[in-house]
């Protein structure tokens, strides 16, 4: 994995969290308070407040140790974001060593999957204009080298109806 | 009896629009938060129907980035024939530019870029200012019938503060045969709402400078 990340600048892993851990995090996320944030020329999403329950379920230290296997960093910042219909982020240049995310789709109908045609997926572009798309798959994790890639969250369209996409997003400095 | 030949403007633009230009100019100049205008019955109705028919027969290319998802045709300079080609020739003529100068007060230098756009259901164009190159005016001519406010696809004009967009100031439905024109500046923030209806939204749009 380290070699892959070193060569290609990204890493993607499915079934990242243990099933029980994933479901605990999702359960806590459903109870979070969300604050709507919008700067129309940059982003629109809801930001969740990290609380004690979340910290307990998420195992930050284990995640930080895992990421340290690929990137040396001084600081890791986590954000809990909720993307629903009309939410998005646009490409911004950031001075990061790396960024990562984990998808937690919250579906209006449990048997319905989050489809690519809804939007909401992460897309990263490198300096040559080549793009990497990460389809929404529950419990999938991705780590991107911040020097090589700039990312955005594709606009969530009305096909998502009442489903939302909870994403744990992190920046590593 | 000899029939007086129509000027190019009279051939393409509706008489009622041509007669309203002075009052439309005042509306354009006074509009907030930046000079813009949405006016109905722009084209002669027969011309509008013919252009709409030809636009639907164009080849469209998918445009997809973080900022937008929609379809666009080739620039009309590549057209070889038809009413669309003739309309393009009118737009880039002295008469065509004179219409936009009379309507907006802008001093134009004769450069035009124009193409057709297609927004299918789920397509959108997020907030931006169009302020690139040396664009002075942007315009859109809407060629779809029956789109209601609940279908989305509206042109949204944004307020701004410190050169950053803040909230929506006005929303204009893509009414059949209407013209939307705005002055391109560092504050001309706007977006096209997502098409949440079932119809495809066709238009002709471009920039003048």
């Amino acid at each position: 994995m380290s070699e892959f990340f070193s060569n290609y600048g990204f890493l993607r892993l499915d079934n990242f969290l243990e099933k029980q851990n994933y479901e605990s995090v999702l359960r806590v996320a459903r109870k979070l308070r969300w604050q709507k944030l919008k700067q129309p020329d940059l982003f629109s999403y809801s930001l969740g407040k990290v609380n004690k329950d979340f910290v307990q379920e998420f195992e930050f230290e284990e995640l930080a140790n895992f990421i340290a296997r690929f990137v040396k960093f001084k600081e890791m910042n986590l954000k809990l974001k909720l993307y629903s219909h009309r939410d998005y982020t646009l490409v911004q240049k950031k001075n990061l060593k790396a960024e990562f995310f984990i998808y937690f789709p919250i579906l209006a109908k449990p048997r319905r999957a989050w489809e690519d045609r809804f939007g909401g997926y992460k897309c990263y572009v490198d300096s040559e204009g080549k793009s990497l798309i990460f389809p929404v798959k529950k419990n999938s994790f991705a780590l991107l080298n911040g020097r090589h890639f700039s990312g955005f969250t594709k606009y969530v369209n009305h096909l998502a109806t009442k489903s939302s996409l909870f994403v744990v997003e992190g920046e590593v400095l | 009896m000899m029939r007086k030949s129509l000027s190019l403007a009279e051939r393409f633009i509706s008489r009622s629009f041509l007669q309203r230009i002075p009052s439309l100019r005042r509306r354009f100049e006074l509009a907030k938060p930046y000079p813009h205008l949405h006016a109905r019955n722009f084209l002669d109705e027969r011309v509008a129907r013919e252009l709409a028919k030809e636009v639907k027969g164009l080849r469209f290319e998918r445009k997809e980035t973080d900022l937008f998802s929609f379809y666009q045709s080739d620039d009309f300079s590549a057209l070889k024939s038809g009413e669309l080609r003739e309309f393009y020739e009118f737009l880039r003529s002295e008469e065509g530019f004179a219409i936009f100068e009379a309507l907006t007060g802008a001093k134009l230098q004769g450069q035009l870029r124009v193409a057709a756009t297609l927004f299918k259901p789920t397509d959108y164009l997020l907030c931006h200012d169009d302020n690139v190159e040396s664009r002075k005016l942007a315009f859109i001519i809407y060629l779809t019938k029956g789109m209601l406010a609940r279908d989305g696809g509206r042109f949204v004009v944004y307020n701004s503060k410190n050169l950053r967009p803040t909230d929506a100031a006005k929303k204009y439905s893509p009414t059949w045969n209407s013209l939307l024109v705005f002055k391109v500046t560092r504050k001309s923030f706007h977006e096209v709402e997502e098409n949440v209806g079932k119809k495809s939204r066709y238009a002709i749009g471009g920039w003048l400078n």
Side-chain angles (χ1 to χ4, degrees):
Chain A
M1 284 195 288
S2 295
E3 198 179 329
F4 186 92
F5 184 80
S6 178
N7 289 337
Y8 296 102
F10 75 93
L11 185 67
R12 183 189 150 159
L13 300 171
D14 291 340
N15 300 311
F16 183 65
L17 299 174
E18 295 284 343
K19 186 182 174 191
Q20 196 175 344
N21 190 220
Y22 175 88
E23 283 166 7
S24 298
V25 171
L26 192 55
R27 205 165 34 245
V28 170
R30 286 177 189 272
K31 295 177 189 172
L32 287 177
R33 282 188 171 183
W34 299 97
Q35 181 192 8
K36 184 73 183 179
L37 296 178
K38 181 163 181 168
Q39 176 53 53
D41 58 337
L42 288 178
F43 57 76
S44 172
Y45 53 76
S46 298
L47 193 66
K49 196 168 178 184
V50 178
N51 58 22
K52 285 180 191 172
D53 289 339
F54 191 87
V55 168
Q56 195 177 327
E57 296 298 342
F58 194 69
E59 297 172 359
F60 286 98
E61 206 176 312
E62 269 196 51
L63 177 65
N65 291 338
F66 177 74
I67 291 172
R69 288 161 58 182
F70 305 96
V71 184
K72 295 282 176 260
F73 63 90
K74 292 179 187 173
E75 197 179 321
M76 183 170 95
N77 298 319
L78 267 192
K79 285 186 182 172
L80 312 180
K81 291 182 182 172
L82 189 71
Y83 296 93
S84 306
H85 180 207
R86 297 195 178 92
D87 286 337
Y88 58 90
T89 67
L90 299 179
V91 171
Q92 287 184 74
K93 291 276 181 209
K94 297 180 191 175
N95 191 19
L96 303 171
K97 280 200 169 176
E99 54 185 272
F100 62 88
F101 62 87
I102 309 171
Y103 286 137
F104 294 81
I106 300 175
L107 302 165
K109 293 177 184 174
R111 287 184 194 169
R112 194 182 177 204
W114 187 280
E115 299 174 43
D116 288 350
R117 65 193 180 115
F118 297 173
Y121 53 81
K122 295 280 189 193
C123 181
Y124 287 82
V125 186
D126 71 11
S127 54
E128 292 170 9
K130 291 182 203 160
S131 56
L132 272 177
I133 292 177
F134 294 90
V136 173
K137 196 171 171 188
K138 81 174 198 183
N139 201 12
S140 66
F141 165 91
L143 177 69
L144 287 298
N145 183 321
R147 302 266 146 77
H148 294 168
F149 292 102
S150 296
F152 64 92
T153 302
K154 185 68 174 171
Y155 173 88
V156 178
N157 64 51
H158 72 286
L159 297 179
T161 57
K162 293 181 183 167
S163 296
S164 299
L165 185 57
F166 167 49
V167 188
V168 174
E169 296 183 11
E171 294 175 349
V172 165
L173 304 164
Chain B
M1 186 170 105
M2 295 212 25
R3 289 183 74 181
K4 185 181 166 193
S5 59
L6 291 174
S7 68
L8 278 178
E10 287 168 328
R11 183 189 155 193
F12 289 103
I13 313 298
S14 75
R15 187 177 296 179
S16 69
F17 187 93
L18 290 171
Q19 287 171 345
R20 285 182 292 145
I21 285 180
S23 61
L24 292 174
R25 162 110 170 235
R26 281 192 291 280
R27 261 175 53 193
F28 175 88
E29 288 172 336
L30 294 174
K32 303 286 179 201
Y34 54 84
H36 71 276
L37 175 72
H38 183 228
R40 297 181 182 224
N41 299 315
F42 175 55
L43 299 168
D44 170 86
E45 183 63 23
R46 184 204 65 80
V47 166
R49 284 198 303 268
E50 186 57 33
L51 293 184
K53 187 174 152 194
E54 288 190 17
V55 158
K56 286 178 185 172
L58 291 174
R59 190 187 70 92
F60 286 88
E61 187 182 328
R62 184 74 175 153
K63 302 286 184 188
E64 186 114 39
T65 66
D66 56 336
L67 191 63
F68 49 71
S69 287
F70 67 98
Y71 296 83
Q72 190 175 54
S73 73
D74 288 339
D75 190 278
F76 283 5
S77 58
L79 292 170
K80 302 288 183 214
S81 61
E83 189 85 347
L84 270 176
R85 174 72 202 194
E86 292 186 30
F87 182 61
Y88 168 70
E89 292 295 343
F90 158 66
L91 284 177
R92 72 178 193 139
S93 69
E94 270 187 39
E95 243 189 289
F97 275 86
I99 294 287
F100 281 96
E101 285 181 333
L103 191 59
T104 66
K107 294 281 178 267
L108 301 170
Q109 287 164 356
Q111 291 169 343
L112 167 72
R113 289 182 63 184
V114 58
T117 57
L118 164 57
F119 285 73
K120 291 188 179 181
T122 75
D123 286 344
Y124 63 89
L125 170 52
L126 294 172
C127 186
H128 63 290
D129 59 16
D130 265 15
N131 192 27
V132 295
E133 299 161 356
S134 49
R135 296 171 180 173
K136 285 190 178 166
L137 294 176
F139 68 94
I140 307 121
I141 304 164
Y142 296 106
L143 295 173
T144 297
K145 291 188 177 181
M147 278 196 81
L148 305 174
R150 66 166 183 255
D151 295 325
R154 294 180 294 182
F155 184 93
V156 181
V157 171
Y158 272 85
N159 288 314
S160 63
K161 189 175 177 183
N162 300 327
L163 300 180
R164 301 298 299 280
T166 53
D167 56 328
K170 286 164 192 166
K171 298 185 182 186
Y172 298 103
S173 285
T175 313
W176 163 257
N177 194 16
S178 61
L179 169 74
L180 194 135
V181 58
F182 64 91
K183 185 177 178 183
V184 178
T185 70
R186 291 191 299 167
K187 294 182 184 180
S188 53
F189 293 104
H190 58 282
E191 71 179 31
V192 177
E193 279 182 335
E194 180 195 343
N195 180 352
V196 298
K198 294 184 170 25
K199 286 180 179 283
S200 287
R201 173 194 179 279
Y202 289 93
I204 291 171
W207 299 274
L208 298 149
N209 49 335

